[in-house]
Amino acid sequence: MVSEKMYELGSKRSVIRELFEFGKKRAEEVGAENVYDFSIGNPNVPAPEAVKKAILEILEEENPVDIHSYTSAQGDLKVRNTLAEDINKRFGTKFDGNNLYMTVGAAASIHICFSALADKGDEFITFAPYFPEYRCFVEAAGGKLVVVPAKIQDFQIDFGEFEKRLNEKTKAVIVNTPNNPSGVVYTEETIIKLTEILKAKSKEYNHPIYLISDEPYREIAYDVEVPYLTKYYDNTFVCYSYSKSLSLPGERIGYIVVPSEMEEAKKVYAAVCGAGRALGYVCAPSLFQKVVAKCIGVTADIEIYKKNRDLLYDGLIKLGYKCVKPEGAFYLFPEALEEDACAFSEKAKKYDLLLVPGDDFGCPSHVRISYCVTTEQILRALPIFKKLKEEYDK
Ligand code: PLP
């Protein structure tokens, strides 16, 4: 017999995937130009030219055996040193390669951190709206995910609700800023308050409460600073990914930072290596380790997302939708036009307008719109959003 838990995870498609598959089917039936698919967070901006150039240079100039061979389990040291140097330059930190663990994107990074930390019964706190995979990773690591309800006025943190959920069993808190699905960036004020509470509670409980910063959208921020969390709190893991910043989601590359300032940093880094080993996430793709080291300072064209954000946000507000203005990532998270976001999403589906209900993100009053689509799709979709609104206004 198979594991019931794994069977359940593998046989139930996520709502996002369901909608995405529905969109593909409808495109065949009615033509792609009549489907408004905002379901999935797949970057539509191509990887920058520098990525192609780096791949070609590596293929032409490096020893063909080395290019594709195993690196150290935690990644090539030269690559890790190069990335650490860049982080130091940008954020005034003092890392070196030994603070970094290369792995297959942010998903693996987060999962490794949960597994490196979790003992049976440990609790991990996150803030709604949150990335649904956290639950799956925390539970696979033997922990329990505790969710702080969303502060829907601005999607910053409801500290009252947060403090109610902190206790001796809290092992770590995970934040995602810029956020999927709200697009909100936590302000420095929020970060300072959060880390002050964590410092006080760590002292009270006599053990560190770690902070995990899940940041695949760090580079996709529009005219705002995204605070670098290790500067505010020593016990912070940074989980970074190139999936969105370089539009390389299929290449599976990213890293974890374990700062030397962290309590028992060497032991924690060893636990990260252990979790990477236990999960089979060792030796991230070696070609792409080299590629990202050659693409320091390069990002995909973020301006396209900003243009889409402005067009869609302004358009929806004008139509009477309610939405917190996102300052990053490529998602908008407006209020559904009825209490039940699933029912609202079903109604939108009748117009072939595909919006993800917020239930799985822990915020069932809202829907997610992924605007990593063509600007032309947004222009075509605005009259459909208008029709949908009119249906509710009747
Ligand atoms: N965390 C968040 C908040 C995400 O939105 C995603 C992907 O969409 C991930 C993690 C996983 O990213 P990766 O492709 O780097 O594994």
Side-chain angles (χ1 to χ4, degrees):
M1 279 303 282
V2 294
S3 147
E4 271 307 311
K5 177 81 190 162
M6 291 303 146
Y7 172 72
E8 190 194 317
L9 280 175
S11 51
K12 198 178 117 212
R13 245 198 328 230
S14 77
V15 180
I16 299 174
R17 285 273 156 200
E18 290 284 355
L19 279 169
F20 181 62
E21 294 302 328
F22 174 83
K24 283 201 293 191
K25 192 173 127 257
R26 287 296 289 157
E28 273 170 27
E29 289 164 7
V30 298
E33 69 284 6
N34 297 312
V35 178
Y36 316 93
D37 183 357
F38 294 98
S39 64
I40 210 157
N42 219 352
N44 69 312
V45 174
E49 205 40 40
V51 167
K52 182 174 165 191
K53 192 165 163 271
I55 295 171
L56 292 175
E57 272 174 19
I58 294 164
L59 292 181
E60 275 166 13
E61 291 167 16
E62 296 203 13
N63 175 336
V65 175
D66 287 350
I67 295 170
H68 303 294
S69 61
Y70 289 122
T71 63
S72 302
Q74 63 271 45
D76 181 84
L77 184 58
K78 239 167 71 191
V79 167
R80 287 184 285 137
N81 281 332
T82 305
L83 302 185
E85 215 174 281
D86 177 53
I87 302 169
N88 294 342
K89 232 186 257 162
R90 292 179 64 193
F91 304 112
T93 49
K94 291 197 183 90
F95 305 141
D96 64 38
N98 293 315
N99 296 109
L100 266 67
Y101 183 95
M102 303 299 298
T103 188
V104 286
S109 304
I110 308 158
H111 196 171
I112 285 176
C113 291
F114 291 146
S115 297
L117 295 175
D119 277 319
K120 212 171 162 39
D122 281 347
E123 295 184 0
F124 292 80
I125 296 184
T126 196
F127 304 93
Y130 64 95
F131 185 53
E133 297 305 279
Y134 293 164
R135 183 173 301 285
C136 162
F137 299 154
V138 165
E139 289 177 3
K144 179 178 165 206
L145 187 73
V146 175
V147 178
V148 177
K151 185 169 163 238
I152 56 175
Q153 303 91 306
D154 56 9
F155 292 123
Q156 297 287 321
I157 292 176
D158 184 332
F159 286 103
E161 292 294 334
F162 173 50
E163 292 206 59
K164 274 192 222 159
R165 286 162 178 79
L166 273 167
N167 65 67
E168 279 101 346
K169 288 190 272 178
T170 309
K171 183 54 81 67
V173 170
I174 180 163
V175 293
N176 166 227
T177 167
N179 182 267
N180 172 10
S182 72
V184 162
V185 176
Y186 283 166
T187 60
E188 187 178 39
E189 195 189 342
T190 294
I191 296 302
I192 290 174
K193 194 152 181 202
L194 171 68
T195 52
E196 274 172 2
I197 293 172
L198 292 179
K199 282 174 205 165
K201 289 290 174 183
S202 296
K203 210 163 162 193
E204 183 183 331
Y205 301 140
N206 204 24
H207 66 76
I209 300 173
Y210 296 93
L211 181 60
I212 301 171
S213 178
D214 174 22
E215 40 187 74
Y217 303 98
R218 164 164 291 281
E219 319 306 347
I220 309 178
Y222 316 123
D223 311 321
V224 284
E225 287 280 319
V226 182
Y228 201 78
L229 300 195
T230 65
K231 291 175 64 186
Y232 298 83
Y233 192 63
D234 290 344
N235 292 321
T236 302
F237 295 86
V238 177
C239 296
Y240 186 85
S241 163
Y242 295 90
S243 290
K244 323 283 171 168
S245 62
L246 285 177
S247 286
L248 294 175
E251 304 301 348
R252 315 305 303 131
I253 188 80
Y255 60 79
I256 304 167
V257 177
V258 180
S260 303
E261 296 81 4
M262 187 180 274
E263 241 176 276
E264 296 195 276
K266 284 212 157 71
K267 192 169 175 188
V268 175
Y269 188 85
V272 162
C273 293
R277 179 181 172 193
L279 294 165
Y281 290 151
V282 293
C283 179
S286 53
L287 173 60
F288 275 84
Q289 290 190 44
K290 294 182 173 72
V291 169
V292 297
K294 271 184 174 273
C295 291
I296 294 289
V298 179
T299 62
D301 184 0
I302 307 307
E303 284 307 305
I304 299 177
Y305 297 133
K306 189 176 179 197
K307 186 175 166 198
N308 284 358
R309 190 265 324 242
D310 290 342
L311 198 60
L312 194 56
Y313 175 78
D314 293 345
L316 292 185
I317 294 296
K318 226 178 259 165
L319 290 173
Y321 286 84
K322 284 194 193 137
C323 185
V324 174
K325 188 168 187 178
E327 291 179 310
F330 36 55
Y331 308 104
L332 226 70
F333 201 51
E335 252 179 67
L337 296 178
E338 61 183 292
E339 217 168 273
D340 178 354
C342 285
F344 175 63
S345 166
E346 279 303 313
K347 236 173 236 163
K349 219 165 140 189
K350 286 200 210 124
Y351 295 91
D352 290 312
L353 177 61
L354 309 185
L355 314 174
V356 180
D359 299 54
D360 286 354
F361 301 103
C363 196
S365 50
H366 288 61
V367 286
R368 190 186 77 171
I369 304 176
S370 295
Y371 60 79
C372 45
V373 297
T374 61
T375 304
E376 183 265 331
Q377 179 179 318
I378 294 174
L379 289 169
R380 273 192 295 113
L382 282 170
I384 309 299
F385 278 106
K386 183 164 186 272
K387 273 192 200 163
L388 184 62
K389 178 79 170 66
E390 282 165 357
E391 188 182 331
Y392 280 91
D393 290 343
K394 258 184 223 157

